[in-house]
Tab-separated table of all heavy atoms in Angstrom:
chain	number	residue	atom	x	y	z
A	44	LYS	N	92.249	78.906	114.757
A	44	LYS	CA	91.835	77.584	114.378
A	44	LYS	C	91.427	76.686	115.625
A	44	LYS	O	90.462	76.087	115.609
A	44	LYS	CB	92.807	76.787	113.562
A	44	LYS	CG	92.969	77.346	112.160
A	44	LYS	CD	94.072	76.597	111.411
A	44	LYS	CE	94.217	77.128	109.976
A	44	LYS	NZ	95.159	76.414	109.186
A	45	VAL	N	92.234	76.764	116.642
A	45	VAL	CA	91.966	76.109	117.883
A	45	VAL	C	90.733	76.658	118.614
A	45	VAL	O	89.826	75.884	118.917
A	45	VAL	CB	93.140	76.050	118.832
A	45	VAL	CG1	92.841	75.467	120.138
A	45	VAL	CG2	94.347	75.293	118.159
A	46	LEU	N	90.662	77.920	118.729
A	46	LEU	CA	89.480	78.647	119.342
A	46	LEU	C	88.218	78.216	118.657
A	46	LEU	O	87.189	78.023	119.226
A	46	LEU	CB	89.656	80.065	119.351
A	46	LEU	CG	90.614	80.538	120.471
A	46	LEU	CD1	90.931	82.006	120.290
A	46	LEU	CD2	90.068	80.281	121.930
A	47	SER	N	88.301	78.079	117.231
A	47	SER	CA	87.088	77.873	116.474
A	47	SER	C	86.498	76.480	116.748
A	47	SER	O	85.235	76.200	116.418
A	47	SER	CB	87.386	78.077	114.987
A	47	SER	OG	88.151	77.017	114.430
A	48	VAL	N	87.214	75.529	117.212
A	48	VAL	CA	86.731	74.142	117.464
A	48	VAL	C	86.650	73.940	118.932
A	48	VAL	O	86.256	72.818	119.319
A	48	VAL	CB	87.603	73.109	116.847
A	48	VAL	CG1	87.502	73.074	115.314
A	48	VAL	CG2	89.071	73.152	117.203
A	49	LEU	N	86.999	74.788	119.790
A	49	LEU	CA	86.796	74.667	121.168
A	49	LEU	C	85.288	74.785	121.594
A	49	LEU	O	84.570	75.414	120.893
A	49	LEU	CB	87.553	75.790	121.992
A	49	LEU	CG	88.968	75.600	122.328
A	49	LEU	CD1	89.535	76.975	122.992
A	49	LEU	CD2	89.226	74.542	123.289
A	50	ASP	N	84.968	74.148	122.719
A	50	ASP	CA	83.628	74.317	123.262
A	50	ASP	C	83.457	75.886	123.366
A	50	ASP	O	84.243	76.539	123.720
A	50	ASP	CB	83.587	73.661	124.597
A	50	ASP	CG	82.269	73.911	125.315
A	50	ASP	OD1	81.240	73.268	124.926
A	50	ASP	OD2	82.206	74.722	126.177
A	51	VAL	N	82.207	76.338	123.060
A	51	VAL	CA	81.917	77.738	123.000
A	51	VAL	C	82.193	78.347	124.330
A	51	VAL	O	82.759	79.467	124.386
A	51	VAL	CB	80.426	77.919	122.525
A	51	VAL	CG1	80.079	79.370	122.641
A	51	VAL	CG2	80.241	77.415	121.159
A	52	LYS	N	81.777	77.781	125.404
A	52	LYS	CA	82.090	78.288	126.792
A	52	LYS	C	83.519	78.502	127.051
A	52	LYS	O	83.877	79.513	127.624
A	52	LYS	CB	81.344	77.614	127.855
A	52	LYS	CG	79.809	77.543	127.793
A	52	LYS	CD	79.176	76.798	128.877
A	52	LYS	CE	77.610	76.800	128.807
A	52	LYS	NZ	76.995	75.979	129.684
A	53	VAL	N	84.240	77.565	126.696
A	53	VAL	CA	85.712	77.583	126.922
A	53	VAL	C	86.333	78.653	126.093
A	53	VAL	O	87.138	79.510	126.522
A	53	VAL	CB	86.402	76.167	126.692
A	53	VAL	CG1	87.938	76.265	126.820
A	53	VAL	CG2	85.835	75.236	127.573
A	54	ALA	N	85.940	78.644	124.814
A	54	ALA	CA	86.551	79.733	123.905
A	54	ALA	C	86.150	81.103	124.289
A	54	ALA	O	86.929	82.042	124.300
A	54	ALA	CB	86.020	79.477	122.461
A	55	LYS	N	84.948	81.232	124.810
A	55	LYS	CA	84.452	82.575	125.369
A	55	LYS	C	85.251	82.929	126.521
A	55	LYS	O	85.709	84.210	126.606
A	55	LYS	CB	82.998	82.408	125.744
A	55	LYS	CG	82.396	83.656	126.377
A	55	LYS	CD	80.932	83.442	126.685
A	55	LYS	CE	80.253	84.677	127.279
A	55	LYS	NZ	80.668	85.077	128.568
A	56	ARG	N	85.425	82.021	127.492
A	56	ARG	CA	86.253	82.388	128.656
A	56	ARG	C	87.750	82.833	128.269
A	56	ARG	O	88.214	83.753	128.781
A	56	ARG	CB	86.290	81.156	129.571
A	56	ARG	CG	86.491	81.521	131.124
A	56	ARG	CD	86.102	80.400	131.911
A	56	ARG	NE	86.604	78.983	131.624
A	56	ARG	CZ	85.880	77.915	131.357
A	56	ARG	NH1	84.574	78.092	131.446
A	56	ARG	NH2	86.386	76.793	131.083
A	57	ILE	N	88.349	82.067	127.435
A	57	ILE	CA	89.648	82.378	127.038
A	57	ILE	C	89.797	83.662	126.226
A	57	ILE	O	90.540	84.518	126.527
A	57	ILE	CB	90.325	81.199	126.140
A	57	ILE	CG1	90.536	79.886	126.978
A	57	ILE	CG2	91.573	81.588	125.410
A	57	ILE	CD1	90.938	78.711	126.247
A	58	SER	N	88.871	83.850	125.382
A	58	SER	CA	88.718	85.105	124.502
A	58	SER	C	88.621	86.357	125.468
A	58	SER	O	89.305	87.417	125.286
A	58	SER	CB	87.703	84.966	123.496
A	58	SER	OG	87.997	83.960	122.578
A	59	GLU	N	87.661	86.159	126.310
A	59	GLU	CA	87.366	87.407	127.319
A	59	GLU	C	88.642	87.646	128.130
A	59	GLU	O	88.852	88.826	128.422
A	59	GLU	CB	86.183	87.144	128.057
A	59	GLU	CG	84.842	87.133	127.213
A	59	GLU	CD	83.638	86.888	127.969
A	59	GLU	OE1	83.738	86.304	129.153
A	59	GLU	OE2	82.473	87.136	127.466
A	60	THR	N	89.212	86.642	128.660
A	60	THR	CA	90.431	86.895	129.462
A	60	THR	C	91.500	87.406	128.713
A	60	THR	O	92.212	88.392	129.207
A	60	THR	CB	90.800	85.506	130.146
A	60	THR	OG1	89.719	84.961	130.776
A	60	THR	CG2	91.939	85.726	131.146
A	61	LEU	N	91.752	86.886	127.447
A	61	LEU	CA	92.814	87.530	126.654
A	61	LEU	C	92.545	88.956	126.326
A	61	LEU	O	93.374	89.840	126.502
A	61	LEU	CB	92.867	86.729	125.336
A	61	LEU	CG	93.614	85.449	125.351
A	61	LEU	CD1	93.525	84.729	123.977
A	61	LEU	CD2	95.110	85.634	125.744
A	62	ALA	N	91.240	89.238	126.059
A	62	ALA	CA	90.796	90.706	125.714
A	62	ALA	C	91.119	91.553	126.929
A	62	ALA	O	91.617	92.634	126.887
A	62	ALA	CB	89.445	90.741	125.285
A	63	GLY	N	90.678	90.995	128.094
A	63	GLY	CA	90.884	91.708	129.368
A	63	GLY	C	92.256	92.016	129.665
A	63	GLY	O	92.716	93.042	130.137
A	64	LYS	N	93.215	91.033	129.478
A	64	LYS	CA	94.622	91.234	129.735
A	64	LYS	C	95.193	92.283	128.768
A	64	LYS	O	95.838	93.113	129.182
A	64	LYS	CB	95.322	89.855	129.589
A	64	LYS	CG	95.227	89.007	130.774
A	64	LYS	CD	96.151	87.917	130.597
A	64	LYS	CE	96.205	87.124	131.947
A	64	LYS	NZ	97.359	86.071	131.996
A	65	ARG	N	94.778	92.204	127.503
A	65	ARG	CA	95.334	93.154	126.539
A	65	ARG	C	94.817	94.571	126.865
A	65	ARG	O	95.632	95.467	126.811
A	65	ARG	CB	94.893	92.702	125.096
A	65	ARG	CG	95.600	91.476	124.673
A	65	ARG	CD	95.768	91.420	123.182
A	65	ARG	NE	96.562	90.147	122.943
A	65	ARG	CZ	96.172	89.139	122.326
A	65	ARG	NH1	94.865	89.102	121.974
A	65	ARG	NH2	96.930	88.118	122.049
A	66	VAL	N	93.557	94.653	127.302
A	66	VAL	CA	93.055	96.023	127.611
A	66	VAL	C	93.762	96.538	128.779
A	66	VAL	O	94.114	97.679	128.857
A	66	VAL	CB	91.480	95.895	127.847
A	66	VAL	CG1	91.029	97.248	128.524
A	66	VAL	CG2	90.747	95.587	126.529
A	67	LYS	N	94.032	95.755	129.822
A	67	LYS	CA	94.713	96.139	131.065
A	67	LYS	C	96.176	96.569	130.686
A	67	LYS	O	96.539	97.666	131.170
A	67	LYS	CB	94.820	95.100	132.077
A	67	LYS	CG	93.464	94.819	132.801
A	67	LYS	CD	93.443	93.683	133.754
A	67	LYS	CE	92.094	93.334	134.291
A	67	LYS	NZ	92.173	92.033	135.025
A	68	LYS	N	96.799	95.786	129.805
A	68	LYS	CA	98.228	96.156	129.416
A	68	LYS	C	98.189	97.403	128.718
A	68	LYS	O	99.063	98.271	128.943
A	68	LYS	CB	98.809	95.028	128.455
A	68	LYS	CG	99.315	93.877	129.257
A	68	LYS	CD	100.078	92.913	128.263
A	68	LYS	CE	100.480	91.666	129.014
A	68	LYS	NZ	101.086	90.726	128.038
A	69	GLU	N	97.273	97.578	127.812
A	69	GLU	CA	97.232	98.866	126.981
A	69	GLU	C	96.871	100.057	127.848
A	69	GLU	O	97.532	101.078	127.797
A	69	GLU	CB	96.080	98.753	125.916
A	69	GLU	CG	96.545	97.873	124.692
A	69	GLU	CD	95.466	97.628	123.792
A	69	GLU	OE1	94.370	98.298	123.775
A	69	GLU	OE2	95.556	96.725	122.880
A	70	LYS	N	95.998	99.854	128.856
A	70	LYS	CA	95.707	100.973	129.809
A	70	LYS	C	96.959	101.223	130.696
A	70	LYS	O	97.216	102.450	130.806
A	70	LYS	CB	94.524	100.507	130.710
A	70	LYS	CG	94.159	101.691	131.589
A	70	LYS	CD	92.955	101.339	132.317
A	70	LYS	CE	92.469	102.414	133.433
A	70	LYS	NZ	93.313	103.591	133.631
A	71	MET	N	97.688	100.142	131.097
A	71	MET	CA	98.899	100.498	131.886
A	71	MET	C	99.917	101.226	130.943
A	71	MET	O	100.497	102.169	131.536
A	71	MET	CB	99.476	99.121	132.337
A	71	MET	CG	98.704	98.517	133.558
A	71	MET	SD	99.340	96.914	133.971
A	71	MET	CE	101.150	97.187	134.082
A	72	MET	N	100.049	100.907	129.757
A	72	MET	CA	100.975	101.530	128.925
A	72	MET	C	100.533	103.057	128.628
A	72	MET	O	101.270	103.935	128.655
A	72	MET	CB	101.097	100.858	127.521
A	72	MET	CG	101.810	99.517	127.625
A	72	MET	SD	103.508	99.716	128.360
A	72	MET	CE	104.293	100.541	127.062
A	73	ASP	N	99.202	103.175	128.439
A	73	ASP	CA	98.679	104.609	128.353
A	73	ASP	C	98.929	105.401	129.548
A	73	ASP	O	99.344	106.521	129.433
A	73	ASP	CB	97.171	104.586	128.004
A	73	ASP	CG	96.880	104.044	126.519
A	73	ASP	OD1	97.836	103.941	125.837
A	73	ASP	OD2	95.718	103.718	126.321
A	74	ASP	N	98.654	104.825	130.679
A	74	ASP	CA	98.970	105.525	132.003
A	74	ASP	C	100.413	105.910	132.142
A	74	ASP	O	100.725	106.880	132.560
A	74	ASP	CB	98.482	104.632	133.210
A	74	ASP	CG	96.969	104.560	133.277
A	74	ASP	OD1	96.268	105.237	132.545
A	74	ASP	OD2	96.560	103.603	133.989
A	75	LYS	N	101.307	104.937	131.764
A	75	LYS	CA	102.754	105.250	131.869
A	75	LYS	C	103.159	106.395	130.873
A	75	LYS	O	103.845	107.233	131.213
A	75	LYS	CB	103.540	103.932	131.551
A	75	LYS	CG	103.536	102.931	132.680
A	75	LYS	CD	104.421	101.799	132.240
A	75	LYS	CE	104.363	100.700	133.438
A	75	LYS	NZ	105.125	99.521	133.073
A	76	MET	N	102.635	106.360	129.625
A	76	MET	CA	102.875	107.374	128.775
A	76	MET	C	102.410	108.742	129.225
A	76	MET	O	103.009	109.735	129.037
A	76	MET	CB	102.337	107.076	127.339
A	76	MET	CG	102.948	105.812	126.739
A	76	MET	SD	104.806	105.984	126.780
A	76	MET	CE	104.930	107.218	125.305
A	77	THR	N	101.150	108.679	129.755
A	77	THR	CA	100.619	109.997	130.317
A	77	THR	C	101.446	110.553	131.425
A	77	THR	O	101.799	111.797	131.462
A	77	THR	CB	99.143	109.721	130.822
A	77	THR	OG1	98.415	109.121	129.808
A	77	THR	CG2	98.520	110.986	131.388
A	78	ASN	N	101.921	109.621	132.320
A	78	ASN	CA	102.854	110.091	133.376
A	78	ASN	C	104.070	110.634	132.878
A	78	ASN	O	104.704	111.611	133.433
A	78	ASN	CB	103.120	108.934	134.401
A	78	ASN	CG	101.795	108.658	135.208
A	78	ASN	OD1	100.905	109.438	135.362
A	78	ASN	ND2	101.808	107.474	135.763
Side-chain angles (χ1 to χ4, degrees):
K44 288 180 180 180
V45 172
L46 285 170
S47 72
V48 293
L49 273 174
D50 175 77
V51 174
K52 289 180 182 176
V53 176
K55 177 182 182 288
R56 204 164 49 238
I57 289 173
S58 298
E59 288 175 347
T60 306
L61 283 173
K64 282 191 168 188
R65 291 208 173 110
V66 168
K67 286 177 190 170
K68 278 185 184 176
E69 288 172 11
K70 183 173 178 354
M71 284 174 50
M72 290 304 292
D73 288 346
D74 290 348
K75 284 181 183 178
M76 293 306 291
T77 303
N78 289 337

